[in-house]
Amino acid sequence: MSSSIKIESVVKEKNRMGECPVWEERENALVYVDINAQKVCRWSPLTNEVQSVSVDARVGSVALRQFGDYVIALGNRFAFLDWDTQKVTTIHELEQDKPNNRFNDGKVDPKGRFFAGTMAEETAPGVRARRQGALYTLFPDCSVIKQLDQVDISNGLDWSLDHRTFFHIDSLAYAVHAFSYDVHTGKIACPRLLYQLEKEEQMPDGMCIDVEGKLWVACIDGGRVIRIDPETGKRIQTVKLPTPRITSCCFGGKDYSEMYVTSAYDGLDEATLAKEPHAGEIFKITGLGVKGIPQNFFAA
């Protein structure tokens, strides 16, 4: 790990399950969700203040809309969130035949479509129905298609810089997969294994891409983010964080040279929590020597 890398806890307000960080340039703020607290949050580095909007279901992901405000995936539905009025407007309900399912991670593709996937919730600690999830795409005209089926925990996702490859994580496969991607239609096809996580890396969660086309994967229970070269399928860097449940990452700041990393305290027992004072905080990593790219906007 380079000696110039600096890690600091910037959001001390702890998240039960912090996820889906998105840098919002127009607000100069980091937007993210606390899934289990059913909140969409916005942190300003200038004021160090966290604002939040409570919603009526577990919210897996948030993304920016082209003309302001947000699109979110919560419970079993896609919705728009108006920040000022705190109004949530449902666009589409899905999987009504699967009451244990909920939306998880999501991100907007290069053409302004919102991809988000689902997963089965645990029915008891460590117990969940397998392969109940799916990956969906919400189009700007508010139509929806199903892209993948038989998914366990649909998680991190991003697109190659040339817009020809889609990267996706199904957490219980402990792997990152690559798909061919048609930027004109939004369709994905031909999955292949890109990277299988090693034992100490634990389970892959959220993911983002940098300006060099390399992937950064958050390792939940692995306490780290890892950098993967999609060309070779090899891990090229590991950055360890000061808490185990590292959930997702994104680049941000004025020139996208800072990485923001979310974490969780849910899933840690009391004894472990006592030894993990930073669990649930959000970290800023500087000195990585590489920048990220701005988030895409949902085109509606």
Side-chain angles (χ1 to χ4, degrees), residues 105-123:
D105 209 354
K107 193 169 280 183
V108 176
D109 83 350
K111 285 289 189 204
R113 313 169 186 106
F114 184 38
F115 281 55
T118 58
M119 57 175 280
E121 290 274 36
E122 290 186 344
T123 49

Side-chain angles (χ1 to χ4, degrees), residues 5 10 25-26 31 40 43 72 84 91 109 136 149 155 188 201 204 223 232 256 276 289:
I5 291 175
V10 289
E25 216 170 284
R26 59 197 173 196
V31 181
V40 181
W43 170 73
I72 58 176
D84 292 334
I91 306 164
D109 83 350
Y136 297 93
D149 218 338
N155 229 321
I188 63 171
E201 291 166 346
T232 62
Y256 291 88
E276 296 294 346

Side-chain angles (χ1 to χ4, degrees), residues 31-33 38-41 51-53 59 62 72 81 83:
V31 181
Y32 57 96
V33 299
Q38 301 184 184
K39 288 194 304 195
V40 181
C41 307
Q51 300 173 309
S52 65
V53 173
V59 52
V62 57
I72 58 176
L81 170 64
W83 188 263

